[in-house]
Amino acid sequence: MDQHLNQPTALLPGDVRMPLLGFGTWQASGEAGYDAVLAALDAGYRHIDTATMYGNEEEVGRAIKESGLRREDIFITTKLPPDRVGRERETIEASLRALDTDHVDLWLIHWPPSSPADSIPVWRELLAARDENLTRAVGVSNYSTAQIDELIQATEENPAVNQIRWSPSLYDRQRHVEHRDRGVVLEGYSPFKTSDLSDPVLTRVAAAHDVSPAQVVLRWHIDHEIVVIPKSVTPERIRANADIFDFSLTAEEMRDIDALGG
């Protein structure tokens, strides 16, 4: 049985299901990027995260096509660079051409625009793209709760997702709750960059489950229902990062790992 069918998902508005485990492609461009995405799909990932500014949408699209998987079985995220204010439609059309698909599953504003006055107009353009079925869901990245509230107050439309840096050492219970209260799915990036994988708490929990500390970090996100997008171009590590569905953490282990956020 295809293991991805059992993968947990987050429910986004419009009945869109987003796999909690995704594959990050930042800094994975050219043939290495293509090979990494193909290896990820082969390892069971069904959610691929890219962005206009990564310059690899074409390779991502080609790998998805070559994988032989059905388009509807793969969740694709891309992102609008904030300097494309006023050129949102042109940007998503370019993304769709590069990815060789008629829609993405999630389109994010990559960073808040540098001029706060642009924030709401850009958000309205994302909503328009969603309403025209160019993307199934829309959201933001690197936004504060106050910036999210501004969008909600202006449009009564909640971003489906906010993608931010996240890991056990960055755990912020209050911020997590703020997202949940607003119906915004929290998606974490760079899960390992800010993690000390030799931390005694992580190594102890890893030993208890016979897995690696990196796998514990990913499982911690999943058990919190936080989307996580590890990235790697090493096939062995890509496979290990996907192999996190045969164990789960106890409530006590979750609390101990949360406490690393101090």
Side-chain angles (χ1 to χ4, degrees):
M1 179 172 174
D2 194 339
Q3 65 146 352
H4 82 273
L5 295 174
N6 308 328
Q7 282 188 30
T9 56
L11 185 59
L12 309 185
D15 209 27
V16 176
R17 293 223 158 256
M18 179 181 194
L20 291 182
L21 175 68
F23 183 71
T25 65
W26 181 54
Q27 293 178 324
S29 51
E31 279 307 298
Y34 164 79
D35 290 341
V37 173
L38 210 49
L41 293 169
D42 189 51
Y45 292 85
R46 292 296 178 267
H47 162 191
I48 307 291
D49 179 274
T50 183
T52 294
M53 66 190 284
Y54 297 171
N56 63 8
E57 288 171 317
E58 212 162 284
E59 288 82 0
V60 167
R62 191 158 57 90
I64 287 169
K65 274 278 191 301
E66 299 281 314
S67 73
L69 294 164
R70 297 183 314 170
R71 169 65 187 91
E72 61 265 32
D73 290 337
I74 301 174
F75 187 99
I76 304 174
T77 300
T78 193
K79 311 182 196 79
L80 172 84
D83 61 1
R84 296 292 177 101
V85 169
R87 293 187 293 152
E88 296 85 357
R89 178 70 190 239
E90 179 194 322
T91 304
I92 190 150
E93 286 177 352
S95 285
L96 295 177
R97 273 196 306 277
L99 288 160
D100 195 12
T101 182
D102 63 359
H103 71 281
V104 288
D105 298 282
L106 180 63
W107 194 30
L108 304 177
I109 305 171
H110 206 152
W111 297 88
S114 47
S115 164
D118 290 328
S119 215
I120 289 155
V122 171
W123 179 233
R124 289 193 193 279
E125 287 297 325
L126 264 76
L127 295 170
R130 181 201 63 192
D131 294 344
E132 292 173 52
N133 301 318
L134 301 177
T135 179
R136 294 170 71 215
V138 287
V140 295
S141 181
N142 302 300
Y143 273 57
S144 68
T145 302
Q147 288 168 324
I148 289 173
D149 283 344
E150 189 191 351
L151 303 183
I152 297 172
Q153 277 150 14
T155 61
E156 294 186 0
E157 291 263 18
N158 301 19
V161 170
N162 184 24
Q163 185 184 117
I164 55 178
R165 266 164 75 102
W166 199 258
S167 70
S169 62
L170 296 177
Y171 184 65
D172 178 340
R173 183 181 304 279
Q174 183 59 36
R175 199 153 186 217
H176 189 192
V177 168
E178 288 166 357
H179 282 77
R180 246 197 335 249
D181 287 349
R182 287 158 179 76
V184 177
V185 169
L186 180 56
E187 177 176 16
Y189 68 83
S190 297
F192 306 134
K193 193 163 272 184
T194 54
S195 291
D196 173 7
L197 295 176
S198 63
D199 184 282
V201 172
L202 296 178
T203 54
R204 171 171 57 76
V205 174
H209 294 278
D210 196 23
V211 296
S212 71
Q215 288 168 315
V216 168
V217 167
L218 297 177
R219 186 70 220 193
W220 170 82
H221 285 76
I222 303 287
D223 286 342
H224 265 313
E225 296 181 353
I226 290 170
V227 179
V228 63
I229 47 170
K231 63 184 181 62
S232 174
V233 291
T234 318
E236 194 179 320
R237 194 160 304 141
I238 289 171
R239 279 195 300 275
N241 288 344
D243 188 16
I244 55 170
F245 298 109
D246 292 337
F247 73 102
S248 62
L249 305 176
T250 66
E252 191 182 354
E253 288 169 338
M254 290 292 285
R255 279 196 301 273
D256 288 348
I257 298 170
D258 290 354
L260 297 175

PDB file of all heavy atoms in Angstrom, residues 10 39 41 52 138 144 174 246 260:
ATOM      1  N   ALA A  10      -3.492  18.721   7.100  1.00  0.00           N
ATOM      2  CA  ALA A  10      -4.202  19.848   7.716  1.00  0.00           C
ATOM      3  C   ALA A  10      -5.304  20.236   6.745  1.00  0.00           C
ATOM      4  O   ALA A  10      -5.114  20.198   5.529  1.00  0.00           O
ATOM      5  CB  ALA A  10      -3.243  21.015   7.920  1.00  0.00           C
ATOM      6  N   ALA A  39      13.508  12.301  -6.085  1.00  0.00           N
ATOM      7  CA  ALA A  39      13.827  11.396  -4.964  1.00  0.00           C
ATOM      8  C   ALA A  39      12.790  11.541  -3.850  1.00  0.00           C
ATOM      9  O   ALA A  39      12.381  10.553  -3.225  1.00  0.00           O
ATOM     10  CB  ALA A  39      15.222  11.695  -4.419  1.00  0.00           C
ATOM     11  N   LEU A  41       9.581  12.517  -4.139  1.00  0.00           N
ATOM     12  CA  LEU A  41       8.311  11.906  -4.548  1.00  0.00           C
ATOM     13  C   LEU A  41       8.419  10.387  -4.474  1.00  0.00           C
ATOM     14  O   LEU A  41       7.487   9.703  -4.050  1.00  0.00           O
ATOM     15  CB  LEU A  41       7.929  12.368  -5.960  1.00  0.00           C
ATOM     16  CG  LEU A  41       7.587  13.868  -6.051  1.00  0.00           C
ATOM     17  CD1 LEU A  41       7.496  14.307  -7.513  1.00  0.00           C
ATOM     18  CD2 LEU A  41       6.294  14.201  -5.308  1.00  0.00           C
ATOM     19  N   THR A  52       8.826  31.558  -6.382  1.00  0.00           N
ATOM     20  CA  THR A  52       9.352  32.267  -7.551  1.00  0.00           C
ATOM     21  C   THR A  52      10.834  32.557  -7.361  1.00  0.00           C
ATOM     22  O   THR A  52      11.649  32.331  -8.256  1.00  0.00           O
ATOM     23  CB  THR A  52       8.567  33.576  -7.774  1.00  0.00           C
ATOM     24  OG1 THR A  52       7.210  33.239  -8.118  1.00  0.00           O
ATOM     25  CG2 THR A  52       9.169  34.411  -8.876  1.00  0.00           C
ATOM     26  N   VAL A 138      -4.796  30.277  -0.391  1.00  0.00           N
ATOM     27  CA  VAL A 138      -3.817  31.376  -0.338  1.00  0.00           C
ATOM     28  C   VAL A 138      -3.411  31.641   1.103  1.00  0.00           C
ATOM     29  O   VAL A 138      -4.182  31.418   2.034  1.00  0.00           O
ATOM     30  CB  VAL A 138      -4.365  32.674  -0.973  1.00  0.00           C
ATOM     31  CG1 VAL A 138      -4.420  32.555  -2.486  1.00  0.00           C
ATOM     32  CG2 VAL A 138      -5.741  33.045  -0.418  1.00  0.00           C
ATOM     33  N   SER A 144       3.752  38.397  11.075  1.00  0.00           N
ATOM     34  CA  SER A 144       3.446  38.420  12.511  1.00  0.00           C
ATOM     35  C   SER A 144       1.939  38.255  12.686  1.00  0.00           C
ATOM     36  O   SER A 144       1.166  38.430  11.733  1.00  0.00           O
ATOM     37  CB  SER A 144       3.877  39.754  13.114  1.00  0.00           C
ATOM     38  OG  SER A 144       3.051  40.789  12.593  1.00  0.00           O
ATOM     39  N   GLN A 174       2.385  30.645  22.736  1.00  0.00           N
ATOM     40  CA  GLN A 174       1.444  31.738  22.486  1.00  0.00           C
ATOM     41  C   GLN A 174       1.221  31.934  20.983  1.00  0.00           C
ATOM     42  O   GLN A 174       0.087  32.066  20.508  1.00  0.00           O
ATOM     43  CB  GLN A 174       1.988  33.033  23.121  1.00  0.00           C
ATOM     44  CG  GLN A 174       1.057  34.233  23.001  1.00  0.00           C
ATOM     45  CD  GLN A 174      -0.306  33.990  23.640  1.00  0.00           C
ATOM     46  OE1 GLN A 174      -0.422  33.319  24.666  1.00  0.00           O
ATOM     47  NE2 GLN A 174      -1.359  34.511  23.023  1.00  0.00           N
ATOM     48  N   ASP A 246       5.867   5.817  11.542  1.00  0.00           N
ATOM     49  CA  ASP A 246       5.733   4.552  12.275  1.00  0.00           C
ATOM     50  C   ASP A 246       5.872   4.728  13.781  1.00  0.00           C
ATOM     51  O   ASP A 246       5.933   3.759  14.518  1.00  0.00           O
ATOM     52  CB  ASP A 246       6.796   3.546  11.794  1.00  0.00           C
ATOM     53  CG  ASP A 246       6.539   3.114  10.366  1.00  0.00           C
ATOM     54  OD1 ASP A 246       5.381   3.226   9.932  1.00  0.00           O
ATOM     55  OD2 ASP A 246       7.501   2.685   9.698  1.00  0.00           O
ATOM     56  N   LEU A 260      12.194  23.116  25.199  1.00  0.00           N
ATOM     57  CA  LEU A 260      13.452  23.592  24.592  1.00  0.00           C
ATOM     58  C   LEU A 260      13.284  25.017  24.054  1.00  0.00           C
ATOM     59  O   LEU A 260      14.243  25.719  23.829  1.00  0.00           O
ATOM     60  CB  LEU A 260      13.885  22.657  23.434  1.00  0.00           C
ATOM     61  CG  LEU A 260      14.216  21.215  23.832  1.00  0.00           C
ATOM     62  CD1 LEU A 260      14.510  20.383  22.590  1.00  0.00           C
ATOM     63  CD2 LEU A 260      15.406  21.173  24.788  1.00  0.00           C
TER      64      LEU A 260
END
